[in-house]
Amino acid sequence: MSRLALPLARLLDEPFGDWQPLVDGWRASAAGQSLIAAVDARVAAGAVVYPAQVFRALQLTPRAATRVLILGQDPYHGPDQAEGLAFSVPSGQAVPPSLRNIYKELARDLGVVPGPQAGSLVAWARQGVLLLNASLTVEDGRPGAHAKLGWHALTDAICHALWGDPAPKVFMLWGAQAQARIPAAAAARGSPHCVLACNHPSPLSATRPPHPFVGSGHFGLATRFLAEAGRGRLDWALA
């Protein structure tokens, strides 16, 4: 069921590459210690917590290699769905509604049509697309269950670190929660980055004005920005 079985401290003993100083600083902080204790206490109490690979986004996408940040809210809360990457599910699983809308816009914008089993976005993560959820854990059947446990102390630090890095990046901010992490107004202060903001791809908001996700053209805009900034070609295709 891809549930969390190991204590968070055990997962945090794994290597994090060039994210290590940031992760270590958070782990040693009062906020980090409180969050770790809270999540482990829920597991010890019998709660089914997802995903098993809590920090997979950081382990697949090094800080120096990050070219795009896509922010989600929290992991999927059903069995066999969450795999530690925002919006992504393991290949072969049914594609969730928000991801279906992401694929719809990808096809409309760039003509890229993922294969029928393509639920996993690992191929994006390996190309420098950091697929980060604001909260890195959730409980079975309880969306947002860990939203107030303190994950933002880590995930906000990650967002701010990327914003402070001089290499040009694209910040794809889909929905109000993502936009609260990196205010779009910051783009006006001479930043080297590209900020793309619109509604969340959820069926509840994907086509609503004034900034619908479907029709946003974010994938083409990101691709062109990265090419013009000298950060290489990004292939959005998924098998």
Side-chain angles (χ1 to χ4, degrees):
M1 294 191 349
S2 301
R3 64 188 289 178
L4 178 61
L6 296 174
L8 280 186
R10 183 84 61 82
L11 297 183
L12 285 162
D13 285 338
E14 297 175 358
F16 284 86
D18 58 359
W19 290 112
Q20 195 76 54
L22 189 152
V23 172
D24 287 348
W26 168 79
R27 181 183 187 179
S29 70
Q33 290 294 306
S34 175
L35 181 282
I36 293 166
V39 173
D40 287 346
R42 291 299 298 146
V43 174
V48 176
V49 175
Y50 304 123
Q53 295 174 285
V54 175
F55 304 103
R56 194 178 187 205
L58 300 181
Q59 291 165 327
L60 282 179
T61 309
R63 177 173 172 173
T66 299
R67 297 187 285 168
V68 177
L69 173 65
I70 295 179
L71 279 168
Q73 295 177 2
D74 58 356
Y76 295 118
H77 54 87
D80 301 319
Q81 289 184 306
E83 62 170 1
L85 302 172
F87 297 106
S88 182
V89 295
S91 294
Q93 291 294 314
V95 176
S98 291
L99 186 54
R100 285 201 300 270
N101 280 332
I102 290 171
Y103 287 172
K104 180 178 180 179
E105 176 59 14
L106 187 60
R108 188 208 64 80
D109 191 13
L110 296 180
V112 173
V113 180
Q117 301 298 311
S120 177
L121 304 180
V122 168
W124 292 0
R126 295 192 186 282
Q127 292 184 78
V129 179
L130 182 63
L131 297 159
L132 183 71
N133 281 312
S135 296
L136 299 187
T137 53
V138 74
E139 294 184 22
D140 184 60
R142 297 183 59 208
H146 290 188
K148 296 182 179 180
L149 292 187
W151 275 118
H152 286 178
L154 174 61
T155 56
D156 281 0
I158 292 167
C159 293
H160 295 160
L162 291 175
W163 187 262
D165 287 342
K169 299 171 198 61
V170 179
F171 289 76
M172 289 184 164
L173 307 181
W174 299 339
Q177 288 194 34
Q179 289 156 25
R181 309 272 73 80
I182 300 287
R189 297 202 292 266
S191 167
H193 309 306
C194 173
V195 176
L196 302 175
C198 67
N199 291 356
H200 193 275
S202 161
L204 296 175
S205 60
T207 59
R208 288 184 178 178
H211 304 294
F213 173 80
V214 176
S216 65
H218 280 189
F219 294 104
L221 290 169
T223 301
R224 289 190 290 275
F225 173 83
L226 292 172
E228 291 170 3
R231 299 222 60 193
R233 178 177 176 273
L234 204 161
D235 185 359
W236 297 101
L238 295 164

